[in-house]
């Protein structure tokens, strides 16, 4: 997008790295998320570039968003530890599902292009690479995530002109 004829963008890791902890922990992360967002979308990039940033919550080399939102922190744990903690308990999964939908709702209304890593839309779990790269769960799709995600996509598509032209700001209520 940067030169008009190529589909080139920048992966917006700083948004992921502040949005997920903000949704999970709140508190000081709200101010951190606001500061990072304003820095990215107002200070670091011209509006045209900010509007083409690739915003995401999961990738091929990160802990899956739902796991990051409700599971144990990966920190510097070994692959063996990650394998043992790769699946959320049913209670943590329910919490993760709700947080995931809140996080994607936020992501979809930021400047830039909301990007969904395959499987997030149906509740795929997983620690860091290689655990985040499992096969798509065709027989275990969580429709309680898929249905609202489809609505988010449709809303974003319908409001794309408005969102592209809107001014960006974040308010932190305490």
């Amino acid at each position: 997008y940067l030169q008009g004829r190529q589909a080139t963008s920048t992966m917006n890791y700083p948004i992921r790295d502040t949005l997920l902890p903000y949704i999970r922990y709140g508190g000081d992360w709200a101010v951190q998320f606001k500061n990072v967002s304003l820095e990215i979308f107002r200070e670091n990039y011209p509006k045209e570039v900010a509007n083409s940033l690739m915003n995401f919550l999961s990738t091929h080399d990160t802990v899956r968003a739902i796991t990051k939102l409700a599971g144990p922190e990966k920190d510097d744990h070994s692959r063996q530890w990650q394998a043992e903690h790769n699946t959320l308990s049913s209670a943590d999964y329910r919490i993760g599902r709700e947080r995931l939908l809140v996080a994607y709702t936020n992501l979809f209304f930021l400047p830039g292009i909301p990007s969904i890593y395959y499987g997030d839309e149906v509740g795929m779990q997983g620690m860091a690479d290689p655990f985040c790269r499992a096969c798509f769960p065709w027989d275990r799709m969580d429709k309680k995530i898929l249905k609202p995600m489809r609505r988010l996509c449709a809303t974003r598509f319908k409001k794309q002109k408005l969102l592209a032209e809107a001014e960006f700001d974040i308010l932190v209520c305490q």
Side-chain angles (χ1 to χ4, degrees):
Y1 298 173
L2 298 178
Q3 296 180 8
R5 293 181 185 246
Q6 298 131 339
T8 301
S9 184
T10 300
M11 292 182 73
N12 198 348
Y13 279 91
I15 285 298
R16 175 198 181 274
D17 294 344
T18 56
L19 179 57
L20 291 175
Y22 162 55
I23 299 300
R24 181 172 181 158
Y25 300 113
D28 292 338
W29 280 103
V31 174
Q32 180 74 9
F33 175 65
K34 176 182 178 175
N35 292 341
V36 166
S37 297
L38 293 177
E39 183 178 310
I40 290 168
F41 298 121
R42 283 196 176 164
E43 297 173 22
N44 289 0
Y45 298 106
K47 184 175 173 66
E48 297 77 19
V49 175
N51 284 344
S52 70
L53 292 174
M54 187 176 166
N55 300 328
F56 57 88
L57 299 180
S58 299
T59 71
H60 65 284
D61 61 358
T62 65
V63 173
R64 289 265 177 185
I66 197 166
T67 303
K68 185 80 173 156
L69 289 165
E73 290 290 351
K74 176 186 130 345
D75 298 323
D76 291 327
H77 291 293
S78 68
R79 279 194 182 195
Q80 179 63 37
W81 182 92
Q82 290 181 61
E84 293 165 2
H85 294 84
N86 198 45
T87 304
L88 300 172
S89 70
S90 56
D92 286 343
Y93 181 83
R94 284 190 299 276
I95 292 166
R97 176 196 296 145
E98 298 305 316
R99 290 176 179 165
L100 182 73
L101 292 171
V102 170
Y104 268 109
T105 300
N106 278 270
L107 189 81
F108 267 63
F109 292 97
L110 290 172
I113 302 165
S115 306
I116 304 168
Y117 182 52
Y118 83 95
D120 273 5
E121 73 278 17
V122 295
M124 277 185 72
Q125 305 170 50
M127 287 288 175
D129 188 10
F131 305 105
C132 57
R133 296 179 186 229
C135 295
F136 190 87
W138 293 105
D139 59 340
R140 297 180 320 278
M141 293 191 290
D142 186 339
K143 293 191 167 80
K144 290 181 179 178
I145 297 174
L146 182 59
K147 188 174 178 180
M149 290 290 284
R150 285 181 170 159
R151 281 195 310 264
L152 269 175
C153 291
T155 301
R156 173 74 187 208
F157 184 77
K158 276 195 256 184
K159 301 296 181 184
Q160 63 185 320
K161 185 173 176 10
L162 170 72
L163 291 169
E165 296 172 359
E167 290 298 316
F168 173 73
D169 203 0
I170 291 183
L171 303 174
V172 176
C173 302
Q174 296 185 5

